[in-house]
Amino acid sequence: MDLKLTVTCEVDGRERTYDLEFMKDLVTLGRHSKNDVRIPDMAVGPDHARIEARGGTWTLTDLGTGPATLVDGKQVEPGVPVPLGEGSEIRVSSFRISIRKPTLLLDESTSEKTSMVAMNMVREVLGSISKSESPPVLEVLNDNEAGAKLELPEDREYRIGRDSDCDLILKHWSISRKHALVRRALDQVTVADLGSKNGVSVNGVKISESRILRNGDVVAVGHTELRFSSPLHSLLDSLDGIAPPPRRPASKPAPVTDASKSTRTFASPTKTEEESFAPETGETGVPRRSSTRLLVILVVIVAILAGVFLFVS
């Protein structure tokens, strides 16, 4: 079934709306990057809720993590599907998600467009949290240009090489005139080889096609190494890694009454297999069964000797 969600949240002190359209029967909501609708709020659960088609209609199920979910102002019981209709409003933390009927016929490009809008929403929300955020950067780690930086403040292409028209000029002999292409698109940064003589590697692995960079990756351009870092990526990674606060305290065990104490039985400690087959010992360390047998034998011997003595006398 086709579904349109309008997400409303605050960005830079103003309300912003983001329209997300889906051609699927299950749409997931949560803080983790694997979700269809990623909610950039540390209090929200990694897997917070799901919207799914049931019998021709949509329902929402709260998965029981993070803050409570509201549907049209009423709190949703975790694990219990709640029906949704056109105009229904879901509230998760400070985010409002409205159910809308798609106005246009969705096609194969819908998924890609929705992903871009969803990523842009996350980037803008996180960017508004920290206005001091610096752009992604590639910093040279070795050779004569060590310390030189290529900042990526805009969504565009950047070139690395020996030519004077490159965005980052590296003079090392192993660098081609136009060696590598770095592209930023929203919160994603990629690097590609421009057909250089000595190639491009990421974390020691030579690449043959465009490669997405993650925070801390080391890019080798010829013999020159550059480290990629991004405050925005650090925030995104933290969204995946931090556990949400528990929604409700753990239930306490019921108090023990006197009656239960009087009827309670305690199982004796279980012996190990070796202990079960080992003979019990007394204080002297001699097995108890062996001591008993020895005593019986001694009594018998004494009785026999007494009988012999009486017979002889």
Side-chain angles (χ1 to χ4, degrees):
M1 290 177 61
D2 294 347
L3 175 67
K4 179 179 179 179
L5 300 176
T6 298
V7 182
T8 304
C9 57
E10 186 176 298
V11 177
D12 292 330
R14 296 178 299 172
E15 280 197 346
R16 285 288 310 273
T17 59
Y18 304 86
D19 290 331
L20 310 175
E21 296 180 308
F22 301 94
M23 299 172 58
K24 55 199 302 187
D25 292 339
L26 175 63
V27 176
T28 59
L29 289 68
R31 174 165 46 81
H32 200 281
S33 56
K34 67 183 179 181
N35 289 287
D36 299 302
V37 181
R38 190 180 191 187
I39 302 176
D41 187 324
M42 297 299 185
V44 174
D47 302 298
H48 192 89
R50 62 174 181 262
I51 300 173
E52 53 191 326
R54 290 173 177 257
T57 187
W58 292 99
T59 63
L60 176 133
T61 303
D62 185 315
L63 300 179
T65 61
T69 304
L70 304 179
V71 172
D72 296 330
K74 297 181 180 179
Q75 184 170 329
V76 176
E77 185 70 21
V80 179
V82 174
L84 301 172
E86 186 176 356
S88 292
E89 183 181 86
I90 303 164
R91 190 176 186 95
V92 180
S93 187
S94 60
F95 290 76
R96 303 196 310 274
I97 305 169
S98 300
I99 307 297
R100 298 282 186 262
K101 185 177 181 180
T103 54
L104 300 175
L105 184 64
L106 306 186
D107 55 29
E108 294 180 355
S109 65
T110 299
S111 177
E112 183 177 353
K113 292 177 182 176
T114 293
S115 296
M116 294 294 287
V117 173
M119 284 193 297
N120 190 43
M121 179 186 74
V122 172
R123 186 185 73 160
E124 290 183 353
V125 171
L126 293 180
S128 69
I129 294 174
S130 175
K131 298 302 292 183
S132 61
E133 172 195 348
S134 57
V137 63
L138 282 162
E139 181 178 357
V140 180
L141 301 178
N142 59 350
D143 298 329
N144 293 333
E145 287 87 3
K149 295 180 180 180
L150 172 61
E151 294 189 343
L152 314 171
E154 302 173 355
D155 289 356
R156 67 176 183 88
E157 295 181 345
Y158 301 80
R159 284 175 171 76
I160 300 174
R162 287 191 292 111
D163 267 1
S164 59
D165 61 347
C166 288
D167 297 279
L168 178 61
I169 302 172
L170 300 175
K171 295 297 186 180
H172 195 272
W173 61 266
S174 65
I175 308 294
S176 299
R177 293 184 180 279
K178 288 182 173 55
H179 197 110
L181 177 69
V182 177
R183 178 184 289 110
R184 177 178 177 178
L186 297 178
D187 66 328
Q188 190 175 89
V189 176
T190 61
V191 63
D193 189 351
L194 289 176
S196 64
K197 180 179 179 180
N198 292 305
V200 177
S201 299
V202 177
N203 298 328
V205 179
K206 196 168 185 177
I207 62 173
S208 57
E209 56 186 18
S210 179
R211 170 77 176 268
I212 297 175
L213 295 179
R214 306 249 334 152
N215 202 43
D217 281 350
V218 174
V219 180
V221 180
H223 291 177
T224 302
E225 294 185 339
L226 307 94
R227 177 177 287 112
F228 175 72
S229 59
S230 168
L232 177 60
H233 284 196
S234 296
L235 285 172
L236 291 171
D237 291 342
S238 68
L239 287 178
D240 281 350
I242 297 178
R247 175 175 299 181
R248 46 180 76 89
S251 57
K252 297 181 180 180
V256 178
T257 62
D258 293 338
S260 63
K261 287 183 179 180
S262 61
T263 57
R264 183 180 298 177
T265 59
F266 295 88
S268 58
T270 303
K271 298 180 181 179
T272 63
E273 185 177 352
E274 292 182 359
E275 291 173 339
S276 300
F277 286 96
E280 297 182 357
T281 60
E283 295 180 359
T284 60
V286 179
R288 291 179 179 174
R289 291 182 181 177
S290 300
S291 300
T292 304
R293 291 176 182 175
L294 182 59
L295 180 60
V296 171
I297 293 172
L298 289 175
V299 170
V300 172
I301 292 174
V302 171
I304 293 173
L305 291 175
V308 170
F309 178 77
L310 291 174
F311 178 78
V312 172
S313 60

